[in-house]
Amino acid sequence: MLELKGNTAPYVQYAYARCRSIFRKGQVEEALVPGYIILPTHVAERLLVIKLMQFPRIIATVGDTLLPHTLLNFVYELAALYHPFQEACPVLTAEDEATRHSRLAICLLISKTLKLGLGLCGMDVVEKM
């Protein structure tokens, strides 16, 4: 049995799969999302945006130190922040279009960051779990 809680690869993959499911369920045209403006109003959104902004520095640190666990810790922390966000911040049923677009943009950035982070460590992601 795979452990879906705690600092494990399946936990991070589950966050990715949950994030991607929003796009499938909402039939969102992903190509439009990068043009959406991110307006983090909820604390869970702000925490995710702050964490996402750390990604370039983490990549540089891993390149300088050759310590890949730094990247693995980052993707775990990002996944750990995503789960409360999904519980507290409805994406597809957000209160208005601007909030929906903002949250879709955050979800797209999270999924791309998790996929890249895991990929750099030699791990694949799964679209469904």
Side-chain angles (χ1 to χ4, degrees):
M1 169 165 294
L2 295 176
E3 183 61 47
L4 294 179
K5 293 183 180 177
N7 195 349
T8 64
Y11 177 80
V12 177
Q13 291 171 325
Y14 182 60
Y16 175 84
R18 285 181 75 187
C19 199
R20 298 301 305 152
S21 73
I22 290 171
F23 292 92
R24 282 191 309 279
K25 287 179 185 173
Q27 298 177 333
V28 175
E29 191 173 334
E30 202 173 302
L32 299 176
V33 176
Y36 294 167
I37 296 171
I38 295 176
L39 305 165
T41 56
H42 191 280
V43 67
E45 295 169 305
R46 289 191 293 273
L47 290 171
L48 277 169
V49 170
I50 290 167
K51 181 55 83 177
L52 285 164
M53 291 183 342
Q54 295 170 1
F55 189 59
R57 183 180 49 81
I58 294 296
I59 294 298
T61 298
V62 171
D64 291 341
T65 63
L66 302 177
L67 298 172
H69 73 278
T70 305
L71 179 56
L72 292 169
N73 285 337
F74 173 85
V75 294
Y76 165 72
E77 291 168 2
L78 183 60
L81 289 172
Y82 175 71
H83 294 297
F85 160 78
Q86 191 178 37
E87 297 294 323
C89 302
V91 177
L92 298 175
T93 59
E95 55 271 14
D96 57 61
E97 199 68 15
T99 303
R100 182 177 188 265
H101 286 177
S102 175
R103 291 177 180 168
L104 283 168
I106 291 170
C107 287
L108 183 62
L109 287 171
I110 292 165
S111 65
K112 287 182 177 234
T113 303
L114 290 175
K115 183 176 184 175
L116 179 58
L118 288 173
L120 289 171
C121 293
M123 290 181 252
D124 293 326
V125 293
V126 293
E127 294 293 318
K128 295 180 182 180
M129 283 184 94

